[in-house]
Amino acid sequence: MDIAAKFTTLFVDMILPLMVGYLLKRLHWRCERLFHWMITVGIILLFPVLTAFSIWGLVPVFDLVWLPAFGVLLHIIPGGLAWFWGRRKYAGSLDYGSYAISGFLSNHVTLGSLSAYILFGETGYAYTQMTLLFNSLLMFGFAYPLAQYFRKQHDHGAGLKIDLKQILFNRNQMPLVGMIIGVWLNWQGIARPAGFLPVFDMMIHFSAWTFLLPVGFSMDFDEVRHFWRDALDITLIKCLITPLLTLVIAGFAISDQIAFRTLILLAAQPTAVNAVIAMKLFGLNLHLSVAAFVLSTAVYLCLVFPVIFLW
C-alpha cells in the first residue's frame, strides 16, 4: 500500500464515518436502533472472524508472548496517571470517575486495529489482536465495575448490583473466542485459504464504518465545550506520555520491529467510545468523557498518526 493509498484509507475509513455520523445527528435522523444493530454485528461476528483469520497466518515469534502483558500495561499507564491526577482535580465522584475511566479506556479495538492494518498490513492487525487479549476483561471486568463504584460512592451506597457472571460471560467476549480459534488453527498447522484474503480486506473496511459511524453520531460539541481543559489533560496522557513510556519499556522486551511499532501505535490511541457508553450507563459525567473522546481523537488523527506513519 503506497502513501497515497494509505492516506486515502485513513480518510475513508477513519475520518469520513465520523463526519457522516455527526451529519446524521445534525439532521436529526433517528439511527439509534440501526447503530445498535451494527455494533452488535461487529462484536459477535466481524471481530471474531477477523481475529481468527489474522492470527491463523502468523509465524510464531518467541518474544510475542509479551504482547498481552503490554496490552494490560497500555491500560495501567494512562489509567493510573488519570487516577492520580484526577484525585487532585475533583472533589465529586462523578467527575473523578469520568476522568479516570476516560484515561483507562483507549480506542484500541477500532482505531488501533484499523491504524495497524493501514500501516503494517495483516501482520500488524494480528499483533494488535494478540496485544488486546485481555481487553474485554479489563473493560467489562474492571472499568465498568469501577464506574459503578463511583456511582455508588456518589449515592452513598445506593446502586446496581454487580453481576460477575454477566460481566465475564457475554457476547462482548466473542473476539476472545476468535483469538482462541485462530491460535488453535495456527498451532495445528492447517493451511489458511488464500481465497479469503480479499474478503478479509473488505471486512476490515466494513468494521471501521460499523463502529465509527455510531461514534460520530454520539458527538455533541455544544454540550462538551466546558470540559476542554479536562480533555486536554487526558489527551496529553494518551497521545504523548503513554507512548513515550511504552517506547522505553518495549525496547527491552520486543525485538520484532512490526510488533514494536504496533505497540507504540496502540499506546497512542485516544479515549474509547466505550468510556462514553460507561458514563451513560452508570450516570457519571458524560460531557467530560465525550470531550476527552473528541479532542484526543482529533489530536490522534491530525498529529499522532501522521507522525507514526512517517517514523
Side-chain angles (χ1 to χ4, degrees), residues 10-197:
L10 171 66
F11 176 78
V12 172
D13 286 348
M14 288 189 183
I15 300 175
L16 188 58
L18 292 173
M19 294 173 60
V20 172
Y22 181 70
L23 178 62
L24 292 175
K25 181 180 182 66
R26 298 294 295 180
L27 294 175
H28 303 290
W29 282 35
R30 297 184 178 276
C31 304
E32 290 85 356
R33 290 186 178 181
L34 173 61
F35 290 154
H36 178 76
W37 177 83
M38 290 170 60
I39 292 173
T40 300
V41 171
I43 290 175
I44 67 176
L45 179 62
L46 286 177
F47 275 163
V49 173
L50 290 171
T51 301
F53 190 79
S54 59
I55 293 178
W56 189 358
L58 274 181
V59 177
V61 180
F62 177 75
D63 61 5
L64 297 185
V65 300
W66 290 102
L67 290 181
F70 273 99
V72 176
L73 192 64
L74 295 186
H75 289 79
I76 292 176
I77 292 176
L81 290 173
W83 180 276
F84 288 110
W85 287 11
R87 179 178 294 177
R88 297 182 300 174
K89 289 170 62 72
Y90 306 105
S93 59
L94 299 185
D95 293 338
Y96 182 25
S98 179
Y99 186 88
I101 294 169
S102 295
F104 184 79
L105 294 178
S106 299
N107 206 342
H108 297 134
V109 175
T110 306
L111 278 182
S113 297
L114 181 61
S115 299
Y117 181 72
I118 292 173
L119 294 182
F120 311 120
E122 182 189 332
T123 302
Y125 185 89
Y127 287 162
T128 298
Q129 304 314 307
M130 293 181 65
T131 304
L132 302 181
L133 175 64
F134 301 114
N135 187 75
S136 293
L137 184 60
L138 289 167
M139 183 186 305
F140 298 104
F142 180 78
Y144 276 36
L146 183 61
Q148 204 166 43
Y149 163 78
F150 280 113
R151 183 70 226 187
K152 286 183 177 182
Q153 189 178 56
H154 174 77
D155 295 337
H156 304 289
L160 298 173
K161 183 180 179 180
I162 297 176
D163 189 340
L164 186 60
K165 181 179 179 181
Q166 185 179 15
I167 289 173
L168 297 178
F169 300 98
N170 59 74
R171 65 189 180 188
N172 297 299
Q173 305 293 348
M174 286 302 295
L176 179 59
V177 176
M179 168 169 284
I180 294 172
I181 293 174
V183 169
W184 183 82
L185 290 170
N186 188 301
W187 178 63
Q188 291 293 319
I190 300 173
R192 195 179 64 172
F196 189 74
L197 287 174

Side-chain angles (χ1 to χ4, degrees), residues 167-305:
I167 289 173
L168 297 178
F169 300 98
N170 59 74
R171 65 189 180 188
N172 297 299
Q173 305 293 348
M174 286 302 295
L176 179 59
V177 176
M179 168 169 284
I180 294 172
I181 293 174
V183 169
W184 183 82
L185 290 170
N186 188 301
W187 178 63
Q188 291 293 319
I190 300 173
R192 195 179 64 172
F196 189 74
L197 287 174
V199 180
F200 179 87
D201 186 73
M202 180 185 66
M203 290 178 69
I204 287 286
H205 301 303
F206 184 70
S207 68
W209 278 78
T210 297
F211 286 92
L212 292 179
L213 197 60
V215 169
F217 189 79
S218 69
M219 294 180 180
D220 191 337
F221 294 103
D222 294 334
E223 296 187 4
V224 303
R225 64 181 182 274
H226 302 296
F227 297 96
W228 294 122
R229 188 180 299 274
D230 307 86
L232 180 60
D233 292 346
I234 296 175
T235 299
L236 289 174
I237 292 173
K238 295 281 193 183
C239 298
L240 181 62
I241 299 175
T242 302
L244 288 177
L245 291 176
T246 304
L247 178 71
V248 175
I249 299 171
F252 292 101
I254 305 296
S255 61
D256 183 279
Q257 284 301 302
I258 295 181
F260 178 75
R261 290 172 180 266
T262 300
L263 278 178
I264 305 306
L265 179 72
L266 293 176
Q269 292 304 303
T271 296
V273 69
N274 282 297
V276 179
I277 294 173
M279 301 309 105
K280 288 184 178 180
L281 182 61
F282 297 105
L284 275 65
N285 190 330
L286 174 65
H287 304 319
L288 192 158
S289 64
V290 171
F293 166 77
V294 171
L295 182 59
S296 61
T297 299
V299 170
Y300 173 79
L301 291 175
C302 296
L303 295 175
V304 177
F305 183 83

